[in-house]
Amino acid sequence: MQVNLTGRTALVTGSTQGIGAAIATALARAGATVAVNGRTSDSVTAAVKRLRAEVPDAEVVPVAADIATEEGAGLAVELLPEVDVLVNNLGIFESRPALEITDDEWRRYFEVNVLAAVRLTRAYLPGMTSRGWGRVQYIASDSAVVTPAEMIHYGMSKTALLAVSRGFAKEAAGTGVTVNSVIAGPTHTGGVEEFVYELVDRDLPWEEAQRAFMREHRPQSLLQRLIEPEEIAHMVVYLSSPQASATTGGALRVDGGYVDAILP
């Protein structure tokens, strides 16, 4: 299946590294003009350079703004007043004993992982509906459904994203705009490598550490390995495409069979 997003503009939040960078690159390969977002000009400039090295003819827009704040979200919208595809990828995570999570940490996870996405959806959805075409996506997690004991604040925020996504899909009903969430499973990123080594022996080589982590902490995975960021990006590109016009209000899994359920 050929996906052609030529003429479309996509904003991928938190796209200087990891899953976000893979999504930005995949959308650029599909022909979209891609806005790369990060908190600092240096991180965005470096990410844009890497993307252009991978996709030499890419149309890339740098958006250096901390969208987890009202001011940063406003700056992003000022730099990029209209988008056709909004991928709310920004997110933070860390392990923490449940009874040690402070009020401030609970608030921070909601602000960064949920409210930042809500703000941008409020900003961009009206333009999409008025034009009769648009795609809004939220990068959720298996933790939205299978809450991990070691980071329930993160799981809470991802569960909230599923509700936000379904609700905004109803708001966009009948307009030609689709709204979906993507449930990403355990994924191989730099941040996850550090997380893995918090839970298994740091002296283990990475391949052994990864297998030990999946065996001991994610044994229900049918894939039995970490997912590569590009595999998440493939789903995002499809949902961004005209071919996905009948898919909305969904929570689509790219989880390696981690969530033990038949329905997506």
Side-chain angles (χ1 to χ4, degrees):
M1 181 174 63
Q2 295 287 328
V3 173
N4 186 350
L5 295 175
T6 301
R8 303 296 187 185
T9 298
L11 169 60
V12 184
T13 67
S15 49
T16 59
Q17 60 184 344
I19 293 173
I23 291 171
T25 300
L27 288 170
R29 284 202 176 101
T33 296
V34 178
V36 172
N37 164 249
R39 287 182 297 174
T40 69
S41 295
D42 287 348
S43 66
V44 171
T45 298
V48 168
K49 183 177 180 180
R50 289 192 297 269
L51 195 160
R52 285 182 171 144
E54 292 192 48
V55 189
D57 58 347
E59 294 288 338
V60 189
V61 179
V63 178
D66 183 359
I67 61 156
T69 67
E70 289 186 59
E71 296 78 12
L75 175 58
V77 174
E78 182 180 330
L79 292 170
L80 199 69
E82 292 185 354
V83 300
D84 303 296
V85 177
L86 171 62
V87 182
N88 292 294
N89 168 75
L90 177 67
I92 56 173
F93 70 94
E94 65 181 346
S95 60
R96 180 84 63 176
L99 297 179
E100 295 179 14
I101 304 169
T102 67
D103 287 0
D104 284 344
E105 287 174 308
W106 281 106
R107 293 188 189 98
R108 178 169 175 256
Y109 271 74
F110 183 80
E111 286 273 350
V112 176
N113 290 3
V114 183
L115 193 52
V118 170
R119 285 194 190 102
L120 288 184
T121 304
R122 281 200 314 249
Y124 288 119
L125 186 59
M128 294 180 185
T129 57
S130 69
R131 294 189 298 274
W133 200 94
R135 301 287 186 262
V136 179
Q137 297 178 52
Y138 302 85
I139 306 304
S141 164
D142 57 79
S143 297
V145 184
V146 186
T147 306
E150 70 274 8
M151 49 181 185
I152 63 172
H153 51 340
Y154 173 75
M156 169 279 301
S157 69
K158 293 301 182 176
T159 304
L161 279 185
L162 300 187
V164 165
S165 175
R166 180 68 182 180
F168 278 121
K170 293 179 178 180
E171 175 65 23
T175 66
V177 177
T178 66
V179 184
N180 293 285
S181 54
V182 175
I183 297 179
T187 305
H188 180 199
T189 65
V192 167
E193 286 192 18
E194 178 59 30
F195 175 65
V196 165
Y197 278 120
E198 288 179 9
L199 298 174
V200 303
D201 186 352
R202 285 186 177 272
D203 293 330
L204 289 174
W206 168 245
E207 287 304 319
E208 289 183 37
Q210 176 184 186
R211 287 195 294 272
F213 170 78
M214 296 301 288
R215 183 174 59 251
E216 296 168 17
H217 298 279
R218 302 292 186 268
Q220 62 269 51
S221 169
L222 303 182
L223 201 60
Q224 297 186 356
R225 65 166 173 82
L226 289 173
I227 297 163
E228 293 302 319
E230 292 75 15
E231 294 175 298
I232 310 297
H234 296 326
M235 176 65 81
V236 173
V237 170
Y238 167 69
L239 290 175
S240 301
S241 72
Q243 289 93 328
S245 55
T247 303
T248 191
L252 290 92
R253 290 162 48 195
V254 189
D255 68 338
Y258 177 82
V259 177
D260 191 7
I262 296 172
L263 292 175

